[in-house]
Amino acid sequence: MLYTTKMPVHPAIRFTTQQARSVAGVSPEAWRHWRKNLSYFEAKKGKAAKFSMGEVVALCAVKDIVGHFGIRVTMLSASIDQIFQASAPMSLLLLQDCSFVLTPASGRVLKVDQITDLPCSAIVIRCEHFVDQILKATFQNSDEVHQKNLPFPPTAIMRGSS
């Protein structure tokens, strides 16, 4: 089930490196290794580095293929760089119906219904789960009351004549 929010997600929302790593579940050690081996991250150094929603989806996907399949980022570095470039300007709404298609030579973002005629060796990663993961991590309401009750009851104030 896809988590939906009634609040529109502004395309200009940016994550710091720490926030992006936290949402994707990337350890500091893995992050340092990826920064050294993925040219896309060369421009994303220091405290000024910011990540778009689309880049965080790509980060989640990379974490998934490394964690679940044991594929080293160095083996697919060109393909991974291409999915980061392609997904960076994309909104979560658009990525929700997309997949990342990685081959040893290329990385593409395709609508799910456009995935046809794949080469014999390709990794296809649905983005829907990662979009849900980002929305839950970013906009999830807790069960706690966010606003405490006022210590005094609200009272109507009569407007005086001026």
Side-chain angles (χ1 to χ4, degrees), residues 6-7 9 13 23 25 30 44 51 61-62 70 76 82 84 90 92 98 111 113 119 127 135 146-147 152 158-159:
K6 294 181 189 217
M7 176 175 46
V9 179
I13 292 176
V23 169
K44 302 234 180 228
F51 294 84
V62 171
L76 295 172
Q82 289 172 14
F84 272 101
M90 298 175 80
L92 290 181
C98 290
K111 287 279 201 186
D113 60 354
C127 297
L135 287 172
H146 292 290
Q147 181 176 352
F152 51 87
M158 293 187 61
R159 193 182 258 177

Side-chain angles (χ1 to χ4, degrees), residues 47-124:
K47 293 184 180 192
K50 301 289 184 236
F51 294 84
S52 70
M53 293 278 194
E55 290 170 315
V56 177
V57 172
L59 188 62
C60 290
V62 171
K63 165 71 166 65
D64 200 53
I65 63 174
V66 168
H68 289 110
F69 298 104
I71 298 171
R72 297 186 310 248
V73 293
T74 53
M75 295 175 69
L76 295 172
S77 62
S79 305
I80 291 170
D81 284 341
Q82 289 172 14
I83 65 165
F84 272 101
Q85 289 169 0
S87 63
M90 298 175 80
S91 70
L92 290 181
L93 186 60
L94 185 58
L95 282 167
Q96 172 177 312
D97 296 323
C98 290
S99 291
F100 296 131
V101 179
L102 295 112
T103 65
S106 70
R108 297 180 293 163
V109 181
L110 298 173
K111 287 279 201 186
V112 172
D113 60 354
Q114 294 175 337
I115 299 175
T116 58
D117 196 31
L118 292 175
C120 61
S121 297
I123 299 170
V124 178

Side-chain angles (χ1 to χ4, degrees), residues 1-13:
M1 181 171 135
L2 183 62
Y3 178 81
T4 57
T5 179
K6 294 181 189 217
M7 176 175 46
V9 179
H10 194 276
I13 292 176

